[in-house]
Amino acid sequence: MKKQVLLIAFVIIATVSYAQNAMYGVRAGINVSNLDFEPDATFDNQHRNGFAIGFFGEYDLSASIALAPEIQFSAEGAKDRSLRVDYIQAPILLKFRIGDRLSLGAGPLVGVKIHEFEDGYRNFSFSGVGALEFMITDEFFIDARYHYGVTNILDDNPANLEAKNTNIQIGIGVKI
């Protein structure tokens, strides 16, 4: 599975690396995350405040559409220490420009857990991402993103309990 994800990421990055209008940058932000349990949790499930930091490329596919692969660290999960999960994530956003300063984005996100090896959580997570970005200047931007998990992150769960990541990120970044 790891090899497939890396191969797909390599192919996408190699394909768009030939784009003539490419920008690169760094982005940092705060997370407000939680776990969405099904059936509902029978314990106090409070959100976790964390942070995210990453690097990205943005490749123009046309005048109004861009592809933006990224690699980031993201502290997610819930407030209780046993419910915290940190990831190295690779979102790939398809961005649609609305005017000169505003863009909408959406795409998949794959996360690789970077905490303990056997802690009851799966090593991979998959989510969908929606994003809104506003360019403050030609280089600096602010953005907001929402991630919702597609896969159950609990490993070997005898109680048939499912948990999916939910995360709101508010970030600031620079493009060069």
Side-chain angles (χ1 to χ4, degrees):
M1 182 67 129
K2 289 181 187 178
K3 291 179 182 178
Q4 292 171 342
V5 171
L6 289 174
L7 178 63
I8 291 169
F10 176 74
V11 169
I12 290 171
I13 291 171
T15 301
V16 297
S17 66
Y18 293 105
Q20 294 182 2
N21 294 331
M23 291 184 279
Y24 304 94
V26 64
R27 176 186 174 280
I30 59 169
N31 288 339
V32 179
S33 63
N34 208 342
L35 297 175
D36 187 10
F37 286 95
E38 184 66 37
D40 287 340
T42 58
F43 51 88
D44 190 21
N45 182 23
Q46 297 179 344
H47 73 274
R48 176 185 183 192
N49 296 328
F51 70 96
I53 187 165
F55 303 96
F56 65 89
E58 189 170 309
Y59 307 97
D60 288 343
L61 301 176
S62 72
S64 60
I65 299 174
L67 188 65
E70 183 174 338
I71 197 94
Q72 72 176 5
F73 167 83
S74 185
E76 297 184 11
K79 186 174 185 176
D80 187 84
R81 187 153 192 78
S82 65
L83 298 175
R84 295 180 185 180
V85 186
D86 298 335
Y87 293 99
I88 296 294
Q89 297 176 328
I92 301 173
L93 294 174
L94 187 61
K95 291 186 171 182
F96 302 93
R97 291 186 189 93
I98 303 170
D100 292 338
R101 301 266 180 220
L102 190 64
S103 64
L104 294 173
L109 177 146
V110 63
V112 178
K113 180 184 68 163
I114 59 169
H115 212 319
E116 301 173 22
F117 179 65
E118 293 186 11
D119 58 359
Y121 296 106
R122 295 181 188 216
N123 292 329
F124 288 97
S125 70
F126 296 95
S127 300
V129 181
L132 178 66
E133 178 182 286
F134 179 77
M135 295 299 296
I136 299 169
T137 67
D138 288 340
E139 294 88 20
F140 293 98
F141 66 90
I142 58 173
D143 69 357
R145 295 181 180 180
Y146 179 71
H147 308 172
Y148 187 77
V150 175
T151 57
N152 180 12
I153 67 165
L154 298 179
D155 199 17
D156 297 330
N157 187 4
N160 292 327
L161 188 66
E162 286 190 13
K164 296 180 179 180
N165 287 315
T166 62
N167 187 29
I168 296 172
Q169 283 184 354
I170 307 295
I172 188 164
V174 61
K175 296 178 185 182
I176 52 173

